[in-house]
Amino acid sequence: MHFTYCPNCGGKLQPREIGDEGLIPYCDHCKRPYWDMFTTSIICAVVNEYDEIALLKQNYVSTSSYVCVAGIMQLGESAEETVVREVKEEIGQDVTELTYIRSYYFDKKEMLMLGYRANVKKSEFRLSGEVDAVEWFPLSEASDKLREGGIAWLLVKEILEQKRS
């Protein structure tokens, strides 16, 4: 998000030199700078004890590829809490172990995505209204189901590389 007006008083922001950050939009009335912001979210590979990954069909995201569980962090929530909540909400699985993999910047939506591997004990899926379908696939075959070069694809690729080393 790029600020043009102050979200508190509505006044037009003016560029002001702030330390070594360069010119930053600044409200002269509120005496406050407003740095550009991005949305923080999680993306996770949900893997069960049989080395299978849960891949989702979400037609509002893609009609041709599967995707991983992902979601927006809520105020007051840690990234780890977001993973546990989103996995439970979207596919009804309980996370037993969490491993941070790395972060990815999704420029198209100005979003920072924190990537995790979420281990679960395989159980029956319970889908949210956001999920059209979900299936377990062998983790080793997951890359073929995801959009090549996409963030889910990169996340799974990193998990597979870590397994090999």
Side-chain angles (χ1 to χ4, degrees), residues 19 22 25-26 35 37 46 58 76 82 91-92 101 107-108 115 117 123 153:
Y26 188 85
W35 280 267
M37 296 173 57
V46 178
Q58 289 180 297
T82 304
I91 61 173
I101 305 300
D107 192 47
K108 182 178 173 183
R117 175 185 171 135
S123 63
W153 183 85

Side-chain angles (χ1 to χ4, degrees), residues 56-123:
L56 290 62
K57 280 289 193 178
Q58 289 180 297
N59 291 333
Y60 77 95
V61 176
S62 174
T63 55
S64 59
S65 299
Y66 284 90
V67 296
C68 288
V69 170
I72 304 296
M73 288 178 62
Q74 295 179 357
L75 284 176
E77 197 174 48
S78 71
E80 293 78 13
E81 290 167 334
T82 304
V83 171
V84 170
R85 177 181 53 78
E86 287 289 345
V87 170
K88 186 70 168 179
E89 282 178 4
E90 290 192 3
I91 61 173
Q93 302 292 298
D94 293 311
V95 175
T96 59
E97 185 181 348
L98 215 63
T99 306
Y100 175 74
I101 305 300
R102 64 165 276 203
S103 62
Y104 307 87
Y105 190 71
F106 186 27
D107 192 47
K108 182 178 173 183
K109 294 199 176 183
E110 295 180 342
M111 187 178 291
L112 178 66
M113 302 188 84
L114 305 176
Y116 286 87
R117 175 185 171 135
N119 291 352
V120 300
K121 289 199 189 292
K122 188 174 185 176
S123 63

Side-chain angles (χ1 to χ4, degrees), residues 6-162:
C6 177
N8 292 314
C9 73
K12 179 118 169 102
L13 300 175
Q14 301 301 318
R16 179 178 273 186
E17 193 78 32
I18 306 285
D20 59 1
E21 300 297 322
L23 293 174
I24 302 297
Y26 188 85
C27 179
D28 287 322
H29 180 262
C30 296
K31 308 290 186 231
R32 182 169 178 203
Y34 289 94
W35 280 267
D36 291 341
M37 296 173 57
F38 51 82
T39 302
T40 307
S41 64
I42 59 88
I43 183 166
C44 59
V46 178
V47 181
N48 67 29
E49 68 272 29
Y50 304 107
D51 218 22
E52 297 172 319
I53 184 171
L55 296 179
L56 290 62
K57 280 289 193 178
Q58 289 180 297
N59 291 333
Y60 77 95
V61 176
S62 174
T63 55
S64 59
S65 299
Y66 284 90
V67 296
C68 288
V69 170
I72 304 296
M73 288 178 62
Q74 295 179 357
L75 284 176
E77 197 174 48
S78 71
E80 293 78 13
E81 290 167 334
T82 304
V83 171
V84 170
R85 177 181 53 78
E86 287 289 345
V87 170
K88 186 70 168 179
E89 282 178 4
E90 290 192 3
I91 61 173
Q93 302 292 298
D94 293 311
V95 175
T96 59
E97 185 181 348
L98 215 63
T99 306
Y100 175 74
I101 305 300
R102 64 165 276 203
S103 62
Y104 307 87
Y105 190 71
F106 186 27
D107 192 47
K108 182 178 173 183
K109 294 199 176 183
E110 295 180 342
M111 187 178 291
L112 178 66
M113 302 188 84
L114 305 176
Y116 286 87
R117 175 185 171 135
N119 291 352
V120 300
K121 289 199 189 292
K122 188 174 185 176
S123 63
E124 188 175 323
F125 290 119
R126 289 182 311 283
L127 307 185
S128 80
E130 293 181 22
V131 179
D132 296 302
V134 64
E135 290 182 57
W136 291 111
F137 293 98
L139 182 57
S140 60
E141 298 173 14
S143 298
D144 297 336
K145 307 288 183 191
L146 301 165
R147 186 178 62 77
E148 186 173 347
I151 292 174
W153 183 85
L154 292 170
L155 174 64
V156 168
K157 185 177 171 205
E158 294 218 20
I159 289 170
L160 290 170
E161 286 173 5
Q162 286 181 1

